[in-house]
Amino acid sequence: MRRTRVVILAKAPVPGRAKTRLIPALGEVGAARLAHRMLLATAEEAVAAELETPELCADPHPLDASWSGLLPPQALEMTAQGDGDLGERLARATKRVIDLGEQVLLIGTDCPQLNARRLRAAGWELEMHDAVIYPTFDGGYALLGLRRFDPSLFSDIAWSTSTVANTTIGRVKALGWSLHLGETLRDIDEPEDLAAAEAAGFQLSRL
């Protein structure tokens, strides 16, 4: 397999900033604690995938005091997301990795189903395809894998809406790139997703 790097884009899991759509159900502290546990679980799976050293692309900078005591214990590459909207941040991370001659798997921390096995499978699919996407039931995507870069995949996207995955798939096809469409997974974003969080082993009663 070509060198493949998992890039985890994550916000510091601090109360009031993390998992804000879950605050009505869990409160600010509970939502932040769940975000932290999901970050730790994501980092663990990314390391277990045994690809290149995973990268935590953090907001704010990983040296910022808001990350104190919250960074995963695993040995990860640490970078900052930088300024701009989500598309600009994703594009910046993607170009950086591809310019180093690596394939990239862009993920967040919201999808417990995105385990080491699925990450490895996505890496293998990039041996045969230019792009890989794992859509989510809410219309977004849990993973976007690329071995080539084009800014159109990240510009003028209505982020956090039900059109993200379909728009991205359409842009990949418009480029004439080959695409592997993976299974649809479930993000933990809204209060109605909390049952899935419990099923994934996140004990909400302890948040």
Side-chain angles (χ1 to χ4, degrees):
M1 184 190 298
R2 300 180 194 179
R3 292 167 57 196
T4 303
R5 191 173 303 274
V6 177
V7 176
I8 306 166
L9 282 92
K11 292 181 180 179
V14 296
R17 285 197 66 207
K19 307 302 292 179
T20 55
R21 284 178 281 177
L22 294 179
I23 289 174
L26 299 177
E28 289 188 357
V29 172
R33 287 177 177 169
L34 177 59
H36 188 220
R37 292 184 185 180
M38 293 174 72
L39 168 62
L40 297 181
T42 300
E44 183 176 356
E45 294 297 327
V47 170
E50 299 182 330
L51 302 169
E52 295 297 311
T53 302
E55 175 184 321
L56 176 62
C57 191
D59 178 35
H61 193 286
L63 295 180
D64 188 272
S66 60
W67 281 100
S68 178
L70 298 174
L71 290 170
Q74 291 86 359
L76 308 176
E77 298 285 343
M78 298 289 180
T79 61
Q81 291 183 22
D83 297 328
D85 66 12
L86 178 58
E88 292 173 288
R89 297 174 185 218
L90 288 167
R92 188 179 301 122
T94 301
K95 189 174 187 303
R96 179 178 65 250
V97 173
I98 290 177
D99 282 350
L100 291 173
E102 299 176 343
Q103 302 176 152
V104 64
L105 302 178
L106 299 165
I107 66 173
T109 63
D110 300 332
C111 183
Q113 293 178 307
L114 200 54
N115 55 23
R117 177 182 62 81
R118 289 189 171 102
L119 291 172
R120 281 195 300 272
W124 281 114
E125 289 297 340
L126 284 177
E127 295 294 297
M128 300 171 284
H129 301 89
D130 296 309
V132 175
I133 192 167
Y134 281 65
T136 54
F137 285 106
D138 63 5
Y141 55 76
L143 177 149
L144 180 63
L146 297 167
R147 65 182 185 186
R148 305 168 68 179
F149 173 75
D150 191 279
S152 69
L153 300 178
F154 306 105
S155 62
D156 298 319
I157 302 284
W159 301 107
S160 300
T161 71
S162 61
T163 65
V164 172
N166 282 339
T167 299
T168 305
I169 290 168
R171 303 252 177 110
V172 171
K173 292 180 177 179
L175 289 168
W177 292 4
S178 57
L179 172 69
H180 173 75
L181 181 61
E183 59 194 303
T184 302
L185 305 177
R186 183 172 298 282
D187 271 345
I188 310 300
D189 283 325
E190 304 285 351
E192 55 266 30
D193 300 324
L194 291 177
E198 288 271 15
F202 300 102
Q203 298 183 29
L204 305 183
S205 61
R206 297 184 181 181
L207 295 178

